[in-house]
Amino acid sequence: MTIPKDIPDKWFPIVLPLQRKKQQGFDAAKAKKKGAEEERRVRANDREYNEKFQYASNCIMTSKYNIITFLPVNLFEQFQEVANTYFLFLLILQLIPQISSLSWFTTIVPLVLVLSITAVKDATDDYFRHKSDNQVNNRQSQVLIHGSLQKEKWMHVRVGDIIKLENNQFVAADLLLLSSSEPHGLCYIETAELDGETNMKVRQSVSVTSELGDPIHLATFNGEVVCEPPNNKLDRFCGTLYWKETKYSLSNQHVLLRGCVLRNTETCYGLVIFAGPDTKLMQNSGRTKFKRTSIDRLMNTLVLWIFGFLVCMGVILAVGTAVWEREVGSLFQSYLPWDLPVDNFLFSAFLSFWSYVIILNTVVPISLYVSVEVIRLGHSYFINWDRKMFCPQCNTAAEARTTTLNEELGQVEYIFSDKTGTLTQNIMSFNKCSINGHAYGEVMDPLGGKPKRLDFSPFNPLAHPDFCFYDESLLESVKVGDPHTHEFFRLLSLCHTVMSEEKSEGDLLYKAQSPDEGALVTAARNFGFVFRSRTPGTITVTELGRPVTYTLLAILDFNNIRKRMSVIVRNPEGRIRLYCKGADTLLFDRLHPCNQDLMNITSDHLNEYAADGLRTLALAYRDLSEEQWEEWSESHRCADRAADFREDRLAAAYEHVEQDMMLLGATAIEDKLQEGVPETIAILTLANIKIWVLTGDKQETAVNIGYSCKMLTDDMTEVFIISGHTVQSVRQELRRARERMISFSRSREGSKVGGAEGWGEACFLGNGFGPAGADGGVGEEKQQQHQSPAPPSPVPQAVASLMDNISGEFAIVINGHSLAHALEADMEGEFVSTACACRAVICCRVTPLQKAQVVEVIKNHKKAVTLAIGDGANDVSMIKSAHIGVGISGQEGIQAVLASDYSFSQFRFLQRLLLVHGRWSYLRMCRFLCYFFYKNFAFTMVHFWFGFFCGFSAQTVYDQYFITLYNIVYTSLPVLAMGIFDQDVPEQRSLEYPKLYEPGQLNLLFNKREFFICIAQGIYTSVVLFFVPYAVLSGATQDTGEPLADYQTFAVSTATALVIVVSVQISLDTGYWTVINHLLLWVSLGTYFSIMLAMHSQTLFTLFPNQFHFMGSAQSTLVQPVVWLTITLATVICIVPVLAFRFLKLDLKPQLSDTVRYTQLVSQKKRKLAGRVGGVRGAVGSVSEGGRLGARGGSRRSGYAFAHQEGFGELITSGKNMRLSSLALANFASRTSSSWIDSLRKKKHSHGNTPASVSGDSSPAASYVSGSAPPLSTSSSVLGGTQDTSIEEETHTPPGQPTQMNAVPSTHASPGSASAPTQAPCVDLITPSLGRGPGGESAGGWNLSLGNVQEALFGWRGVAARISGTSSPGPPSVTKETNHVV
């Protein structure tokens, strides 16, 4: 992938000096600020001279610690965390005996444990960094020292050394190329590690040093280089070489950068200019932004709130202390005097405040942070171990490169994707063509089978064995000698810049400068026109077995403004002909008028190819007389030698000769999509995730791929093209787009059902408006507000509100130069509001910096979680800017992977990463946090209540060892197991029902409201755990008649009840039980009783009488029946309200996951009865094609795409690259597609409920299409039944279930409206015989329509259940409907 240029070439003479001046001023200011060098001076073979500048060595150090600095630096970093500092402060307080009623080890043990675990993790990470650094630094390099080559480690290379490089070696430092074994001082490098581009690049030494090809001559070289200081500009180098009293200008073409690999060059020598951290590779590495999840940020806020709550409790108890000491405590002064520092009740209250801060500090347990890290680590391992995200072709598994962002994967709202190599395979194949008005390549087997692949070997022994083509008529046209077909392939074999290498007879390897050219030349090769070799002035081709050598007169190079390239050749007969290929939109304007009819036919073919998402080129030729050639050649030479505006003069010369051409035809190349891309995009769209494509490719290419992967469809209302070159024009285009959206939405919202045929269709397509009620066609919001049978008139709303509720069947395509204006501060808001109202956004010709800017704009304006995915080095800035960065380990190096948070090899794995791992991680973390805060408030608040009964003496309820071990031993393991293994629905259901992803986007499972609910439950539990044992035990007696009302008995009873209650609660919270969950729960309970009995034993009391005060308490307490009765009573009072609340919530307002779980249970039960496994299958009714919105059948869309770079033609004609070898062409893979993708409806944003069912004869968006569905008794249910199980059988409801299926608030729920009778006798809605009575109350069972179930689970409306053959997860296949909704 190439990084595009923002500025057209014709602007360079004006813009570049301004840019350089601005950049130089910026660099100077930056250097002055940092005190860095302003220029670099390097003298060859003179270490003493260079060392006085103290340049950096070539040693790379990415590690953070060493043996000496690890402990102090790591502790310093850890105590920068507020929580660690907080607990250190508490530890210091506990060392003050006047205020501490707890031993110091109750805090230091958890603190040391947390610090140790974190330190071990940091040490392990740094060890691997040291290992990687050592591996790189110890690589061997040949350095010229004292006239001879010596092997030196990379770390010992210094600035000014001369290094010898050999083929396939990595470049050790940034070098000035001095000489090479290739002619003209050329060498070839691969820069995939730097910029992601896999095509080779040519570098050339300065002519004066190119002859220094051996160590003897190089040892005498003492030239001095003066150049720019170290910077991160990969495409720029400015310097001067001074040697022999002459200076030579240096540019980027003379430099080899660290990270490059030498290719196809035997040896070369280079002078080290920048070493180690000064190299451009290291300057670009930078520091990765530290990313925190939204849950992390919320936790920080909640911890501050909890600390404030702790202070409030401390103040309340301190006030209580003051009152008690003044009113009651003074009566005890004679035999209970205050300690020496205390001389009044106020000072006693002050000390009591700090004492209670220490006792109540467990509301913010330090083990919380350790547990969170352990859970995240477990989730990361699940991603790494997922075999369904392993690519066998690449032998690459998914990798979680960070452990801190897993739950953020469940909250993504925006995905920013690169195109080439991310959505596509970056592998081109010749697919179709049009020659002289005849289309080739469209082959249909009358029997419906796969067409037979052509075998070219009998016809052409030089044919490429991997080339795939199926239309035999094109091969026959070549064989019969059709002149147009011959000229067509002759053009493809001559008009290119491909290099050829023939290692053995017939074994041709093409090295194409772009994959497009490789595909075209390979196609010509297979059809008999084989490009064999070239020299600076000739091209040799084998035409149908006959070798022909053409004289290459000129190459009219490609650039992004011309969008075409041409060659002028002379054939052996002496005839001169110009061959041209390029964009049809430009090339057609340069055709001879006699081509009008052929141009019209070819345009139709190009429209078809573009609609298929193919990359198209038009081909033409022109015959030149000898006089015309001589005249043009002279003008071309003058333009080429011009000192100023050379590019403009050359462009004018090219334009002059590329006129009055004759059209030959057009080609269609497929840049194959990766497997599963359309399906993945469709599923993610149903999950309310918006996908933006940010690509450096041309608009035509990006748009075509958008159609291929179904981001753009012909059913879209409108696709807006933003291409203005000025701020004002971009602003006008954006405003015009918004006006069109609002106008269209208002027209549909205000249309009457019978008056506008498109209204029902609009609702049916899901453009943000709900289905009509039984008697009218009003949308959801209007129906809820007015409940009128007829749609009301549209109510005027603010533009912002309208944009938020826009229909969404729009797309926007914006070019890079327009995007630069749209991202300006005063236009950001307009751009965001316009783009976010669209279903698809494609940004073309964008730079890496613009990609990052787009991500930042969405982060700032929408406050949504963003994910960026790419495969090249030009995607690194975007990946680092997004909340989550995903790298594709593809064809463009590993820079994207190294900068990413997660990596895998196929785009299709993204849906599993988000919908399965991300959703589960978010769910688990939320459940873990809710339970953790609950159990700690239940544990800590008992001390608060006890303070009112102990004279506010800061006495603890529990034994100090119980306080120490509660969070790290007794209750830690079960909640960890839940946080690591819990699931609400299986992974298959997560993929089948994308709407399950929405709770994470809306942050429904853990927010401030859920936090306060957990806190309230914890406080309620603490009240029960304190007052129930207090009330029961205060009057209870032992079997011997002795009272049980003593402190130690109360402490043991309360602690035991607490452990049992929180264990029962974790059992209720766990939704997915494994052996590990069972084992850890019972082990935790067993550990509690074992440790308590051991610590209360006489043995420990005898050994440590000052530490173990509860001697025999457990043994005497737990044998009392009244104690167990108290524990049981407290447990029941704590748990029964929770059970009642959850049953009511499940009955009255079930979540989507509850619905899916229930349907799964019903399905499993029916499968067991049937004795075989069934699938979740159905079919989606679609709108008839006759009334589709915004059809683009008559529109003109160019499919032009050509991934070529300018400047390569000049290199060919100079003869300087004739030694360039080629790479083997990759095998062409076939692309799969799914028919159901074309009719996927846009997910609608509903703020209310939808009717339970609607009338089929009056609703524009009924829950079925009348007369279009077969009987449901033979189809599989959307609820998960077998094919032989009817929906009525699968929806028998147990007693107590609700009468309607509700979803989470953010999704569509069904209110209790009655089901209207339908007019389709073959369609049975999901309505049990026990329906809703006249009063609206249910007589039993669920009253569901098929539309309700599908709407709740999938986010669809108007879908009819039918048999489907699709087996992939996701929506079923589409069946065309012939009925219109009326």
Side-chain angles (χ1 to χ4, degrees):
M1 180 186 311
T2 58
I3 300 176
K5 298 176 182 175
D6 276 352
I7 305 169
D9 292 358
K10 62 182 180 180
W11 299 351
F12 279 5
I14 302 172
V15 177
L16 279 184
L18 299 177
Q19 283 190 327
R20 291 193 184 113
K21 185 176 181 181
K22 182 178 178 180
Q23 185 64 38
Q24 288 170 1
F26 175 76
D27 290 344
K30 187 175 178 181
K32 184 176 180 181
K33 181 179 179 180
K34 292 188 175 183
E37 56 184 301
E38 296 185 2
E39 67 176 12
R40 172 154 296 202
R41 290 181 172 272
V42 179
R43 185 176 296 172
N45 294 316
D46 193 343
R47 282 194 172 186
E48 293 183 2
Y49 174 81
N50 298 320
E51 284 176 356
K52 71 180 183 180
F53 296 104
Q54 297 182 347
Y55 295 139
S57 69
N58 204 39
C59 181
I60 297 298
M61 183 181 297
T62 60
S63 57
K64 296 168 62 178
Y65 317 109
N66 56 41
I67 296 177
I68 298 175
T69 62
F70 172 73
L71 190 59
V73 173
N74 187 261
L75 288 177
F76 175 76
E77 290 177 346
Q78 291 200 56
F79 280 115
Q80 287 182 327
E81 293 285 341
V82 177
N84 292 340
T85 306
Y86 166 70
F87 284 102
L88 179 63
F89 172 69
L90 289 177
L91 176 61
I92 295 173
L93 288 180
Q94 284 183 310
L95 297 178
I96 304 174
Q98 286 79 11
I99 64 174
S100 177
S101 58
L102 291 175
S103 299
W104 55 269
F105 60 79
T106 57
T107 298
I108 197 171
V109 170
L111 180 61
V112 170
L113 180 64
V114 169
L115 296 177
S116 300
I117 292 176
T118 306
V120 169
K121 176 180 175 293
D122 292 341
T124 303
D125 292 342
D126 206 58
Y127 166 75
F128 287 109
R129 283 192 288 265
H130 272 287
K131 188 175 180 180
S132 176
D133 291 344
N134 291 334
Q135 181 181 1
V136 173
N137 289 331
N138 290 319
R139 288 177 179 172
Q140 296 292 322
S141 183
Q142 299 183 66
V143 181
L144 186 63
I145 300 177
H146 303 302
S148 62
L149 290 172
Q150 300 180 14
K151 286 195 174 182
E152 288 277 2
K153 295 179 178 180
W154 276 24
M155 68 172 69
H156 297 150
V157 172
R158 296 290 182 265
V159 172
D161 289 349
I162 293 178
I163 297 178
K164 179 183 179 181
L165 295 177
E166 296 179 347
N167 193 30
N168 297 325
Q169 279 189 348
F170 278 93
V171 180
D174 289 355
L175 310 177
L176 171 65
L177 180 61
L178 297 178
S179 64
S180 168
S181 58
E182 298 295 301
H184 310 286
L186 292 173
C187 74
Y188 306 99
I189 56 173
E190 184 180 278
T191 60
E193 294 293 326
L194 282 174
D195 55 14
E197 298 183 10
T198 53
N199 56 295
M200 291 188 195
K201 295 181 173 60
V202 182
R203 295 292 183 263
Q204 186 176 17
S205 64
V206 181
S207 58
V208 71
T209 65
S210 60
E211 303 302 326
L212 304 176
D214 59 83
I216 298 176
H217 292 91
L218 288 169
T220 63
F221 177 67
N222 60 351
E224 184 174 353
V225 174
V226 179
C227 65
E228 61 191 12
N231 59 76
N232 60 358
K233 304 295 189 298
L234 294 175
D235 58 348
R236 192 191 75 179
F237 179 82
C238 182
T240 305
L241 171 63
Y242 295 90
W243 189 40
K244 296 181 179 179
E245 299 181 355
T246 307
K247 63 179 183 179
Y248 306 90
S249 178
L250 302 177
S251 68
N252 200 50
Q253 291 297 315
H254 303 115
V255 176
L256 307 180
L257 300 182
R258 178 175 179 139
C260 299
V261 182
L262 192 67
R263 300 293 191 194
N264 303 322
T265 306
E266 188 175 339
T267 60
C268 73
Y269 292 87
L271 172 66
V272 177
I273 304 296
F274 302 120
D278 291 341
T279 59
K280 292 183 182 289
L281 175 65
M282 298 304 297
Q283 291 280 316
N284 274 278
S285 61
R287 285 185 175 270
T288 301
K289 294 181 180 179
F290 180 68
K291 299 180 179 181
R292 301 185 67 89
T293 66
S294 58
I295 287 184
D296 280 335
R297 294 187 290 271
L298 178 59
M299 279 177 55
N300 290 338
T301 302
L302 297 181
V303 166
L304 292 177
W305 288 4
I306 292 173
F307 182 74
F309 180 68
L310 171 61
V311 171
C312 292
M313 289 192 297
V315 169
I316 293 173
L317 294 172
V319 172
T321 301
V323 173
W324 192 91
E325 289 287 355
R326 182 177 180 180
E327 301 296 331
V328 182
S330 59
L331 303 177
F332 300 90
Q333 287 295 318
S334 57
Y335 59 90
L336 274 180
W338 286 324
D339 294 333
L340 290 179
V342 182
D343 56 359
N344 58 71
F345 68 93
L346 292 177
F347 190 62
S348 176
F350 174 75
L351 296 180
S352 177
F353 169 80
W354 293 110
S355 298
Y356 273 110
V357 167
I358 295 173
I359 292 174
L360 302 175
N361 78 83
T362 49
V363 290
V364 190
I366 193 171
S367 58
L368 170 66
Y369 297 93
V370 178
S371 302
V372 166
E373 292 302 321
V374 171
I375 290 172
R376 287 172 172 169
L377 182 64
H379 296 169
S380 299
Y381 278 117
F382 288 156
I383 294 174
N384 296 342
W385 294 338
D386 191 347
R387 299 296 298 177
K388 294 182 180 179
M389 296 173 68
F390 176 80
C391 180
Q393 293 85 0
C394 307
N395 194 29
T396 304
E399 181 183 5
R401 300 175 56 83
T402 181
T403 61
T404 59
L405 302 175
N406 295 322
E407 64 269 18
E408 197 97 313
L409 290 171
Q411 300 179 277
V412 174
E413 293 187 53
Y414 288 86
I415 293 177
F416 301 92
S417 174
D418 179 40
K419 183 191 73 66
T420 306
T422 303
L423 300 179
T424 67
Q425 300 178 20
N426 204 15
I427 299 175
M428 310 295 178
S429 63
F430 183 83
N431 195 285
K432 299 176 182 178
C433 64
S434 171
I435 304 175
N436 196 34
H438 298 282
Y440 298 96
E442 194 76 40
V443 179
M444 299 295 294
D445 192 328
L447 300 179
K450 184 177 180 179
K452 184 179 178 181
R453 174 179 168 181
L454 294 182
D455 182 10
F456 292 92
S457 54
F459 163 71
N460 179 13
L462 297 176
H464 195 286
D466 296 327
F467 180 77
C468 295
F469 203 78
Y470 300 95
D471 192 350
E472 192 173 358
S473 62
L474 181 57
L475 183 59
E476 289 298 325
S477 179
V478 174
K479 290 180 179 179
V480 299
D482 179 68
H484 297 96
T485 305
H486 283 197
E487 200 66 18
F488 180 89
F489 287 113
R490 183 176 291 114
L491 185 152
L492 294 182
S493 66
L494 295 174
C495 186
H496 57 77
T497 58
V498 174
M499 307 301 298
S500 174
E501 181 178 350
E502 191 165 357
K503 294 187 175 181
S504 60
E505 181 63 29
D507 183 14
L508 289 170
L509 292 178
Y510 290 152
K511 175 54 185 176
Q513 202 266 338
S514 71
D516 307 74
E517 284 207 318
L520 294 175
V521 175
T522 301
R525 168 184 175 180
N526 279 264
F527 283 98
F529 290 77
V530 185
F531 166 63
R532 299 298 293 267
S533 63
R534 74 189 319 147
T535 68
T538 63
I539 299 178
T540 301
V541 180
T542 299
E543 297 182 353
L544 302 177
R546 181 174 61 91
V548 181
T549 298
Y550 292 84
T551 302
L552 180 60
L553 301 178
I555 294 181
L556 283 61
D557 208 359
F558 173 91
N559 66 36
N560 292 323
I561 296 177
R562 287 167 32 76
K563 295 185 179 181
R564 62 191 182 276
M565 74 162 293
S566 303
V567 295
I568 301 177
V569 297
R570 189 196 305 269
N571 67 7
E573 289 77 27
R575 186 176 60 185
I576 301 175
R577 178 165 288 183
L578 175 143
Y579 291 107
C580 180
K581 65 181 179 184
D584 52 298
T585 53
L586 293 176
L587 194 142
F588 282 0
D589 295 336
R590 290 156 178 79
L591 296 179
H592 194 277
C594 67
N595 290 271
Q596 187 62 45
D597 294 338
L598 177 59
M599 185 175 66
N600 292 335
I601 299 174
T602 306
S603 295
D604 293 338
H605 294 162
L606 286 169
N607 278 333
E608 296 174 5
Y609 300 156
D612 293 337
L614 303 179
R615 301 159 64 96
T616 61
L617 288 173
L619 310 183
Y621 71 93
R622 176 190 178 185
D623 286 321
L624 298 175
S625 66
E626 196 70 36
E627 293 76 13
Q628 289 174 321
W629 159 246
E630 292 293 342
E631 179 185 352
W632 181 85
S633 178
E634 182 62 29
S635 65
H636 177 259
R637 278 194 297 268
C638 294
D640 191 36
R641 294 172 181 172
D644 55 346
F645 302 104
R646 177 176 178 270
E647 292 80 6
D648 292 340
R649 297 176 188 273
L650 285 175
Y654 296 163
E655 181 76 18
H656 177 74
V657 75
E658 292 172 333
Q659 298 292 334
D660 295 331
M661 293 184 289
M662 304 298 294
L663 181 63
L664 275 174
T667 63
I669 299 175
E670 181 181 17
D671 183 5
K672 295 180 180 296
L673 286 176
Q674 291 186 15
E675 179 184 354
V677 167
E679 294 87 343
T680 299
I681 289 178
I683 294 295
L684 294 178
T685 302
L686 288 176
N688 196 28
I689 299 175
K690 295 185 178 180
I691 302 178
W692 293 25
V693 172
L694 312 178
T695 176
D697 279 339
K698 292 166 282 297
Q699 175 182 310
E700 295 86 352
T701 308
V703 170
N704 292 339
I705 292 299
Y707 278 94
S708 297
C709 64
K710 309 307 177 186
M711 282 185 62
L712 306 178
T713 65
D714 286 340
D715 290 329
M716 280 186 163
T717 307
E718 191 164 351
V719 178
F720 301 103
I721 306 295
I722 309 298
S723 58
H725 286 80
T726 65
V727 175
Q728 191 60 33
S729 61
V730 173
R731 190 189 304 273
Q732 290 176 355
E733 290 176 356
L734 289 174
R735 288 179 178 175
R736 192 177 302 116
R738 289 197 303 275
E739 290 170 0
R740 293 274 298 168
M741 294 179 192
I742 294 172
S743 174
F744 186 83
S745 297
R746 281 178 171 173
S747 65
R748 286 199 299 180
E749 187 177 346
S751 298
K752 302 294 182 180
V753 174
E757 181 180 356
W759 166 259
E761 195 171 326
C763 294
F764 194 75
L765 281 173
N767 291 324
F769 299 91
D775 300 316
V778 67
E780 284 180 340
E781 296 183 16
K782 298 293 181 182
Q783 186 175 356
Q784 290 175 8
Q785 295 173 4
H786 304 281
Q787 294 294 326
S788 62
S793 300
V795 179
Q797 302 180 35
V799 174
S801 177
L802 284 175
M803 294 305 296
D804 290 338
N805 298 316
I806 210 72
S807 60
E809 287 299 315
F810 299 94
I812 192 168
V813 180
I814 184 167
N815 287 296
H817 52 78
S818 303
L819 184 63
H821 298 306
L823 293 178
E824 293 181 3
D826 59 335
M827 288 185 61
E828 280 185 1
E830 293 188 43
F831 169 67
V832 171
S833 64
T834 307
C836 292
C838 296
R839 196 184 78 177
V841 179
I842 298 177
C843 302
C844 318
R845 304 300 294 167
V846 295
T847 65
L849 178 60
Q850 285 179 324
K851 291 183 179 183
Q853 288 175 338
V854 171
V855 175
E856 291 290 348
V857 164
I858 296 300
K859 286 171 61 178
N860 296 334
H861 284 264
K862 303 303 290 186
K863 305 300 180 184
V865 177
T866 59
L867 181 147
I869 179 170
D871 71 318
N874 52 356
D875 302 318
V876 168
S877 57
M878 173 179 70
I879 288 173
K880 288 186 176 182
S881 296
H883 291 99
I884 302 169
V886 178
I888 298 288
S889 52
Q891 305 293 323
E892 299 197 7
I894 61 172
Q895 289 296 300
V897 171
L898 294 177
S900 66
D901 304 304
Y902 301 88
S903 67
F904 40 74
S905 59
Q906 296 287 322
F907 181 84
R908 60 189 171 92
F909 295 149
L910 186 60
Q911 65 168 310
R912 185 169 180 84
L913 180 70
L914 299 183
L915 301 186
V916 178
H917 293 287
R919 205 182 71 82
W920 278 352
S921 296
Y922 173 74
L923 171 79
R924 293 161 177 168
M925 186 60 68
C926 292
R927 289 185 175 180
F928 164 80
L929 292 174
C930 289
Y931 175 79
F932 210 98
F933 285 119
Y934 153 76
K935 77 180 182 68
N936 279 282
F937 267 79
F939 164 64
T940 305
M941 289 300 293
V942 175
H943 293 301
F944 181 79
W945 311 123
F946 186 59
F948 293 91
F949 293 85
C950 68
F952 304 97
S953 61
Q955 173 66 43
T956 60
V957 176
Y958 315 111
D959 176 17
Q960 60 183 357
Y961 293 101
F962 178 83
I963 296 173
T964 303
L965 298 177
Y966 174 77
N967 275 310
I968 62 177
V969 176
Y970 298 153
T971 59
S972 62
L973 296 181
V975 70
L976 279 178
M978 181 184 71
I980 294 176
F981 299 107
D982 204 30
Q983 302 175 15
D984 57 344
V985 297
E987 60 182 67
Q988 296 88 349
R989 302 292 177 174
S990 296
L991 295 171
E992 290 170 0
Y993 307 131
K995 295 278 281 184
L996 290 170
Y997 191 78
E998 279 196 357
Q1001 296 172 323
L1002 301 175
N1003 203 20
L1004 296 179
L1005 301 186
F1006 185 73
N1007 47 44
K1008 295 173 183 177
R1009 176 178 175 273
E1010 293 296 324
F1011 170 74
F1012 285 118
I1013 291 175
C1014 297
I1015 297 307
Q1017 183 185 357
I1019 295 175
Y1020 166 76
T1021 302
S1022 70
V1023 171
V1024 173
L1025 291 176
F1026 177 79
F1027 287 100
V1028 169
Y1030 182 83
V1032 173
L1033 296 179
S1034 60
T1037 59
Q1038 302 183 20
D1039 296 339
T1040 60
E1042 296 179 5
L1044 280 172
D1046 64 89
Y1047 164 70
Q1048 292 188 351
T1049 300
F1050 176 77
V1052 171
S1053 302
T1054 304
T1056 304
L1058 173 65
V1059 172
I1060 291 176
V1061 166
V1062 297
S1063 297
V1064 173
Q1065 184 66 45
I1066 192 72
S1067 302
L1068 296 177
D1069 290 346
T1070 302
Y1072 182 74
W1073 283 91
T1074 65
V1075 175
I1076 298 177
N1077 292 81
H1078 276 288
L1079 181 63
L1080 294 182
L1081 179 62
W1082 296 110
V1083 165
S1084 296
L1085 286 173
T1087 302
Y1088 164 70
F1089 286 105
S1090 300
I1091 293 178
M1092 182 179 63
L1093 292 173
M1095 288 188 173
H1096 293 189
S1097 65
Q1098 186 175 0
T1099 303
L1100 287 180
F1101 177 77
T1102 304
L1103 295 175
F1104 308 99
N1106 294 327
Q1107 296 295 329
F1108 298 95
H1109 307 294
F1110 281 56
M1111 192 270 291
S1113 297
Q1115 290 82 348
S1116 60
T1117 301
L1118 296 180
V1119 297
Q1120 301 298 325
V1122 67
V1123 172
W1124 285 106
L1125 179 62
T1126 302
I1127 293 172
T1128 303
L1129 179 62
T1131 303
V1132 170
I1133 296 175
C1134 290
I1135 298 301
V1136 167
V1138 177
L1139 287 174
F1141 173 78
R1142 293 190 179 183
F1143 274 114
L1144 287 174
K1145 183 179 180 182
L1146 186 64
D1147 189 67
L1148 300 176
K1149 193 177 180 181
Q1151 294 181 343
L1152 274 173
S1153 56
D1154 301 326
T1155 304
V1156 173
R1157 257 198 321 272
Y1158 176 74
T1159 58
Q1160 182 185 5
L1161 291 174
V1162 173
S1163 174
Q1164 290 175 349
K1165 180 180 178 181
K1166 294 302 179 182
R1167 280 201 296 265
K1168 290 179 181 178
L1169 294 176
R1172 63 177 183 270
V1173 178
V1176 181
R1177 289 174 184 163
V1180 184
S1182 66
V1183 182
S1184 63
E1185 292 187 359
R1188 65 185 182 182
L1189 296 175
R1192 296 173 54 87
S1195 64
R1196 175 78 172 92
R1197 184 173 76 244
S1198 170
Y1200 158 72
F1202 194 49
H1204 200 290
Q1205 290 178 335
E1206 60 179 308
F1208 213 66
E1210 182 179 353
L1211 185 61
I1212 288 177
T1213 55
S1214 69
K1216 295 180 178 181
N1217 63 335
M1218 292 299 107
R1219 290 289 303 278
L1220 181 63
S1221 66
S1222 61
L1223 299 176
L1225 294 174
N1227 292 332
F1228 297 124
S1230 60
R1231 173 169 60 89
T1232 60
S1233 61
S1234 292
S1235 60
W1236 58 267
I1237 298 296
D1238 293 326
S1239 298
L1240 280 173
R1241 292 168 177 81
K1242 177 185 175 293
K1243 191 191 75 58
K1244 291 157 288 189
H1245 301 278
S1246 174
H1247 302 288
N1249 297 332
T1250 56
S1253 65
V1254 288
S1255 174
D1257 57 347
S1258 62
S1259 170
S1263 61
Y1264 65 92
V1265 180
S1266 177
S1268 64
L1272 292 180
S1273 59
T1274 60
S1275 67
S1276 63
S1277 169
V1278 295
L1279 300 181
T1282 62
Q1283 291 185 7
D1284 297 329
T1285 305
S1286 66
I1287 292 180
E1288 293 85 342
E1289 293 175 348
E1290 289 204 344
T1291 54
H1292 293 302
T1293 309
Q1297 289 294 332
T1299 58
Q1300 73 268 7
M1301 183 183 298
N1302 288 328
V1304 292
S1306 63
T1307 57
H1308 305 283
S1310 46
S1313 60
S1315 300
T1318 67
Q1319 295 183 356
C1322 61
V1323 177
D1324 296 324
L1325 296 180
I1326 310 178
T1327 309
S1329 57
L1330 296 177
R1332 188 177 295 275
E1337 298 298 327
S1338 173
W1342 280 4
N1343 186 14
L1344 299 173
S1345 70
L1346 178 58
N1348 296 141
V1349 178
Q1350 291 167 331
E1351 179 184 344
L1353 300 185
F1354 293 102
W1356 301 339
R1357 292 202 187 98
V1359 286
R1362 62 180 70 232
I1363 297 175
S1364 170
T1366 182
S1367 61
S1368 61
S1373 59
V1374 173
T1375 304
K1376 296 286 184 182
E1377 299 291 352
T1378 57
N1379 300 65
H1380 286 279
V1381 182
V1382 294

